[in-house]
Amino acid sequence: MDQEARLVTVDHAWSGRWSGRSLLRLDAHGVVFAGSADAHDADTLAGAELPHVPGTVLAPFTDSHVHLGLIDAAQLSVGGISRVVDLGWDPAIAQGWLGRSGRDGWPEVTIAGGLITAPGGYPSRAGWAPPRASLAVGGLRASTRLRRAARVVERQHALGASIVKVALNSDVGPVLDDATLGAVVDAAHGLDLLVVAHVQGVGQAARAADAGVNRLAHTPFSERLDDDLIARLAASTTWVSTLDIHGHGLGGVAHETAVDNLSRFRAAGGRVLYGTDLGNGDLPLGVNERELRAMGRAGFGLAGLLDALAPDVAEPAGGARLPFTRVTWIADAPRASASSDERAAWLARATALTADELLAVALEEKTR
Ligand SMILES: [Zn+2]
């Protein structure tokens, strides 16, 4: 993209809210949603016939739970994902990904670094995780454990983590005690870092709530959470959906439990982020139609799915809109009459495009 900004039109746009025929401003910094084309007078458009992008352009989609160490990150934009949150790998390797964020065809990357856990706890014996991904916080004395908890959080922060991950998986091994877990949360919050927890095993979701964890890496699937706990979690945590990790949406008790928990969490006002745990098993690279279908079964309509897919696009109050490195493009319009499954299929046709790539689509359309 040269220095000069280009305007293009698109049939439908969504960046927190819908508009019909809209203007997009493309320049070296990215794509800005510039509002409804009808709202601009003839002077602004100078009577020019602007290049036109057919279909729908939406704010960038985020997968809020991936493991870049297990997938080819450069494939994600073709599949419609512009941003990812990596929830656990060898911290030194994850740090290196920050330098590729938004470049070389990579999505924009946010990292957690390693997974903070008890000695011998998950994922230290899990096949998928490299040994250095597990950051064990041990020590015979409580004071030692608390000091080590703070230090391991500081190290993740120093290498560029913007979220800290803690593993609370009592199904496969020991978990941090309450005081150590509390020290992890305190240290993270002291550094303005969110805490995300892998919660697995009966009672672990309640422990996360008690400790002040901010986010759950998975919709809880080990037990049906009672309504009181759901209400507490809805007030204090966001959940990453990951419904399709259980037998790939083919059912099963864990899947049904998760759908039930998510549906009540949503009804209680809980905030949900789209996430797939990409790299865990055989999941499609990009927007996962099965994940969206399962979310549809948990009660998510199009507005709820978009809020989960594009969680950080709140319209600035009067301020200048920042350009997006990539935006989402779907070649046709959403159908108001679509069923839940049809909506999932429509969203799964997304690709993530840079300003240059979007302009190429518009110019191609012009010569057609
Ligand atoms: Zn994961």
Side-chain angles (χ1 to χ4, degrees):
M1 177 74 44
D2 52 38
Q3 292 309 302
E4 206 184 325
R6 300 278 307 253
L7 285 175
V8 301
T9 56
V10 62
D11 294 321
H12 302 272
W14 180 87
S15 59
R17 57 190 159 81
W18 283 100
S19 55
R21 213 172 88 85
S22 299
L23 287 175
L24 302 170
R25 189 175 180 280
L26 315 178
D27 69 16
H29 303 289
V31 180
V32 170
F33 288 83
S36 162
D38 304 330
H40 291 71
D41 59 23
D43 284 354
T44 316
L45 300 177
E49 225 191 277
L50 298 174
H52 181 69
V53 177
T56 310
V57 171
L58 309 99
F61 287 175
T62 300
D63 188 328
S64 293
H65 186 157
V66 304
H67 297 281
L68 292 178
L70 297 169
I71 58 170
D72 180 358
Q75 300 292 317
L76 287 171
S77 59
V78 179
I81 295 297
S82 298
R83 297 173 172 177
V84 294
V85 183
D86 187 274
L87 287 189
W89 202 250
D90 178 333
I93 294 173
Q95 181 180 32
W97 296 333
L98 294 174
R100 305 187 68 176
S101 176
R103 302 160 59 175
D104 312 331
W106 273 47
E108 292 170 73
V109 177
T110 301
I111 62 165
L115 292 100
I116 300 173
T117 189
Y122 180 82
S124 61
R125 282 172 290 175
W128 65 268
R132 289 204 175 91
S134 296
L135 306 171
V137 176
L140 288 178
R141 295 152 60 98
S143 59
T144 307
R145 293 196 296 275
L146 301 192
R147 206 173 54 243
R148 286 177 178 167
R151 209 159 52 212
V152 75
V153 169
E154 282 158 19
R155 279 208 304 273
Q156 306 317 295
H157 179 252
L159 61 81
S162 43
I163 188 163
V164 162
K165 177 139 181 211
V166 58
L168 298 174
N169 183 348
S170 60
D171 276 357
V172 301
V175 292
L176 297 176
D177 62 88
D178 287 343
T180 309
L181 175 59
V184 168
V185 172
D186 286 348
H189 290 173
L191 293 165
D192 273 335
L193 300 174
L194 295 177
V195 179
V196 58
H198 174 111
V199 163
Q200 185 172 348
V202 172
Q204 297 302 320
R207 289 192 68 220
D210 292 343
V213 161
N214 307 100
R215 187 179 295 182
L216 302 188
H218 302 281
T219 298
F221 54 84
S222 300
E223 58 183 327
R224 183 181 192 275
L225 306 182
D226 68 46
D227 288 344
D228 284 349
L229 180 55
I230 289 276
R232 276 173 64 210
L233 287 163
S236 63
T237 62
T238 58
W239 289 6
V240 185
S241 57
T242 75
L243 297 171
D244 189 42
I245 56 170
H246 311 287
H248 301 310
L250 296 176
V253 174
H255 180 77
E256 294 310 315
T257 301
V259 169
D260 173 53
N261 284 333
L262 189 66
S263 133
R264 288 180 298 120
F265 179 76
R266 182 192 142 274
R271 190 150 175 269
V272 177
L273 305 173
Y274 165 88
T276 60
D277 201 6
L278 196 51
N280 171 357
D282 181 25
L283 297 171
L285 280 174
V287 176
N288 180 344
E289 181 176 344
R290 292 184 310 237
E291 183 69 32
L292 295 174
R293 273 163 50 177
M295 290 175 76
R297 289 183 49 227
F300 288 74
L302 184 59
L305 293 178
L306 289 175
D307 284 343
L309 280 159
D312 35 28
V313 294
E315 294 270 315
R321 275 173 279 205
L322 289 173
F324 294 117
T325 304
R326 281 197 181 81
V327 291
T328 311
W329 178 56
I330 303 175
D332 57 5
R335 287 198 359 256
S337 61
S339 69
S340 181
D341 284 0
E342 286 166 343
R343 272 198 295 271
W346 181 71
L347 289 165
R349 290 213 306 277
T351 55
L353 302 181
T354 62
D356 275 330
E357 291 163 348
L358 203 57
L359 184 61
V361 168
L363 296 177
E364 190 180 307
E365 184 72 5
K366 216 174 180 180
T367 59
R368 188 167 283 175

